[in-house]
């Protein structure tokens, strides 16, 4: 059973469709410390799409017009997903900060894991050096 993640922010964003006409569609968005979930009909009971931060490379191409802020989420497989939000909502900043926090925590975990492996390897080498 999956644990419910703590919600950082919830609200509405518009996503550009992948179709030929590239229409903007409203999505209910739930931002947690690990992911961004998109729900198509504005209700969480519908099946949503989860963009885990482990699969996101960066938030890019921020452009501000009079009414909207436009931004792009770039995934590690170089897929670009375009969003827009009302100018004052600052969704791009919320997503960017959550992504940076996730990436920093991942980097610290990786560093600690490497340190532990190096220490374990050093202990093993010392044991082998003392063996007859």
């Amino acid at each position: 059973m999956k644990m419910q993640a703590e919600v950082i922010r919830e609200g509405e964003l518009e996503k550009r469709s992948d179709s030929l006409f590239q229409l903007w569609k409203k999505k209910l968005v739930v931002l947690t410390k690990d992911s961004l979930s998109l729900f198509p009909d504005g209700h969480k009971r519908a099946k949503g799409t989860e963009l885990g931060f482990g699969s996101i490379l960066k938030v890019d191409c921020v452009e501000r017009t009079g009414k909207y802020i436009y931004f792009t989420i770039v995934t590690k497989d170089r897929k670009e997903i375009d969003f827009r939000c009302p100018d004052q909502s600052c969704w791009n900043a919320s997503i960017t900060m959550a992504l940076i926090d996730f990436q920093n925590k991942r980097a610290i975990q990786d560093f600690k894991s490497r340190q532990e492996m190096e220490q374990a390897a050093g202990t093993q080498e010392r044991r082998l050096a003392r063996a007859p």
Side-chain angles (χ1 to χ4, degrees):
M1 191 163 148
K2 192 174 180 182
M3 294 283 296
Q4 192 76 355
E6 180 183 341
V7 174
I8 296 171
R9 185 169 181 183
E10 185 174 325
E12 196 173 85
L13 256 179
E14 291 183 52
K15 178 186 170 291
R16 189 186 333 238
S17 69
D18 294 332
S19 70
L20 178 65
F21 298 111
Q22 295 188 334
L23 302 171
W24 290 100
K25 295 184 179 182
K26 291 183 179 183
K27 306 284 184 181
L28 173 65
V29 180
V30 178
L31 176 65
T32 68
K33 64 182 180 118
D34 298 318
S35 68
L36 184 70
S37 296
L38 308 166
F39 298 93
D41 65 355
H43 301 286
K44 286 194 264 186
R45 62 180 171 252
K47 178 147 175 52
T49 302
E50 183 178 53
L51 294 170
F53 285 150
S55 68
I56 296 175
L57 188 61
K58 63 183 174 175
V59 177
D60 202 9
C61 299
V62 176
E63 180 183 340
R64 176 171 280 143
T65 64
K67 189 175 179 181
Y68 293 106
I69 295 175
Y70 295 83
F71 62 98
T72 301
I73 291 179
V74 181
T75 63
K76 289 188 176 175
D77 60 355
R78 302 292 184 206
K79 181 179 177 191
E80 295 183 355
I81 307 165
D82 297 325
F83 293 94
R84 73 180 183 186
C85 58
D87 187 25
Q88 299 300 315
S89 72
C90 299
W91 265 102
N92 58 310
S94 297
I95 295 167
T96 300
M97 295 304 294
L99 177 62
I100 289 169
D101 188 48
F102 175 86
Q103 290 171 338
N104 285 342
K105 287 178 181 172
R106 168 90 38 104
I108 290 168
Q109 288 173 343
D110 291 347
F111 176 76
K112 286 181 178 178
S113 293
R114 276 195 310 275
Q115 260 188 332
E116 289 170 2
M117 287 184 352
E118 288 170 3
Q119 287 174 348
T123 302
Q124 183 69 17
E125 285 176 15
R126 283 193 296 275
R127 271 193 228 136
L128 291 174
R130 283 185 274 174

